[in-house]
């Protein structure tokens, strides 16, 4: 028979592991949703310019929000523009076909962008001026990503423990 402390500790460890997984999933999905929401809002804002000028304006706005220069990611520029163009088409005529085109363009961008060290969702969470604060509490930005945010988290919230003297 396990004793009370062991029971509570094992239950807590299991629940903490489940919480970490849920928090990471929520952060990833929420960052993706917010990036899509921002893309739709910004595309609608610039839509009156016509497709070519709107795509250029949206990509410039996107890079600005992420504190990047256009030349920083030349290998993915075409896919950023293609995704933005798909959003433009969706904004002009929302349909299942247009939605599928946005989804396909999203996956193409992720295919050229995502690495072992970063995802498109990470970029939204780590770079964007519109990042939700709790995202950094789950997965803090590596050094150099949020230089514009001096109050950023440096470790996940579950690493914040009680004072050492309380552990005996």
């Amino acid at each position: 028979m396990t004793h009370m402390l062991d029971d509570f500790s094992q239950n807590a460890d299991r629940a903490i592991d489940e919480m970490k997984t849920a928090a990471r999933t929520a952060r990833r999905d929420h960052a993706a949703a917010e990036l899509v929401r921002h893309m739709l809002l910004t595309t609608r804002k610039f839509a009156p310019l016509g497709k070519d000028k709107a795509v250029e304006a949206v990509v410039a706005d996107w890079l600005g929000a992420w504190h990047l220069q256009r030349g920083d990611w030349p290998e993915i520029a075409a896919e950023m523009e293609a995704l933005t163009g798909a959003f433009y088409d969706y904004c002009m005529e929302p349909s299942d076909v247009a939605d599928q085109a946005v989804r396909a363009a999203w996956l193409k961008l992720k295919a050229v962008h995502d690495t072992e060290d970063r995802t498109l969702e990470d970029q939204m969470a780590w770079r964007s001026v519109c990042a939700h604060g709790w995202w950094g509490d789950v997965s803090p930005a590596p050094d150099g990503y949020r230089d514009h945010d001096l109050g950023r988290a440096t470790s996940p919230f579950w690493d914040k423990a009680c004072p050492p003297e309380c552990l005996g």
Side-chain angles (χ1 to χ4, degrees):
M1 176 172 136
T2 58
H3 291 219
M4 184 183 230
L5 175 57
D6 293 332
D7 280 343
F8 284 160
S9 295
Q10 289 169 9
N11 289 341
D13 289 344
R14 201 170 21 259
I16 289 169
D17 286 342
E18 292 169 1
M19 175 208 53
K20 288 177 183 178
T21 298
R24 289 179 180 124
T25 299
R27 176 220 175 246
R28 182 199 63 222
D29 292 348
H30 192 230
E34 284 296 281
L35 177 53
V36 169
R37 188 177 70 78
H38 281 271
M39 291 296 293
L40 288 168
L41 285 171
T42 308
T43 302
R44 287 180 182 124
K45 173 181 158 186
F46 291 116
L49 299 176
K51 187 171 184 175
D52 291 343
K53 289 181 180 177
V55 167
E56 178 61 33
V58 172
V59 171
D61 188 77
W62 183 359
L63 292 171
W66 285 13
H67 299 268
L68 293 170
Q69 300 300 314
R70 184 173 280 282
D72 289 345
W73 284 343
E75 70 281 8
I76 66 166
E79 298 304 338
M80 289 178 84
E81 291 169 0
L83 175 61
T84 305
F87 274 114
Y88 179 90
D89 293 342
Y90 179 87
C91 288
M92 294 299 96
E93 191 172 331
S95 67
D96 291 346
V97 171
D99 180 70
Q100 287 304 313
V102 169
R103 291 170 187 266
W106 176 271
L107 292 176
K108 285 181 181 178
L109 176 57
K110 285 185 66 61
V112 298
H113 171 274
D114 289 4
T115 68
E116 190 174 297
D117 297 324
R118 68 165 198 236
T119 65
L120 202 53
E121 297 85 357
D122 288 335
Q123 295 293 354
M124 181 63 181
W126 293 341
R127 289 194 181 277
S128 180
V129 295
C130 296
H132 291 243
W134 70 269
W135 295 345
D137 292 335
V138 173
S139 179
D143 286 340
Y145 272 82
R146 290 197 54 86
D147 293 340
H148 58 285
D149 182 3
L150 300 176
R152 69 180 181 88
T154 56
S155 63
F157 71 87
W158 51 79
D159 286 350
K160 297 172 181 162
C162 63
E165 61 270 16
C166 297
L167 298 174

Coordinates of all heavy atoms in Angstrom, one line a residue, residues 162-168:
C162 N 8.3 26.8 -5.2 CA 8.4 27.5 -3.9 C 9.8 27.8 -3.5 O 10.7 27.2 -4.1 CB 7.7 26.6 -2.8 SG 8.6 25.0 -2.5
P163 N 10.0 28.7 -2.5 CA 11.4 29.0 -2.1 C 12.1 27.7 -1.6 O 11.5 26.8 -1.1 CB 11.2 29.9 -1.0 CG 9.9 30.5 -1.2 CD 9.0 29.4 -1.8
P164 N 13.4 27.6 -1.9 CA 14.2 26.4 -1.5 C 14.0 26.0 -0.1 O 14.0 24.8 0.3 CB 15.6 26.7 -1.9 CG 15.5 27.8 -2.8 CD 14.2 28.6 -2.6
E165 N 13.9 27.0 0.8 CA 13.8 26.7 2.2 C 12.5 25.9 2.6 O 12.4 25.3 3.7 CB 14.0 28.0 3.1 CG 12.9 29.0 2.9 CD 13.3 30.0 1.8 OE1 14.2 29.8 1.0 OE2 12.6 31.1 1.8
C166 N 11.6 26.0 1.7 CA 10.3 25.3 2.0 C 10.4 23.8 1.7 O 9.5 23.1 2.0 CB 9.2 25.9 1.2 SG 8.8 27.7 1.6
L167 N 11.4 23.4 1.0 CA 11.5 22.0 0.6 C 12.2 21.2 1.7 O 12.3 19.9 1.5 CB 12.3 21.9 -0.7 CG 11.5 22.6 -1.9 CD1 12.4 22.6 -3.1 CD2 10.2 21.9 -2.1
G168 N 12.8 21.8 2.7 CA 13.3 21.1 3.8 C 14.7 20.6 3.7 O 15.4 20.6 2.8

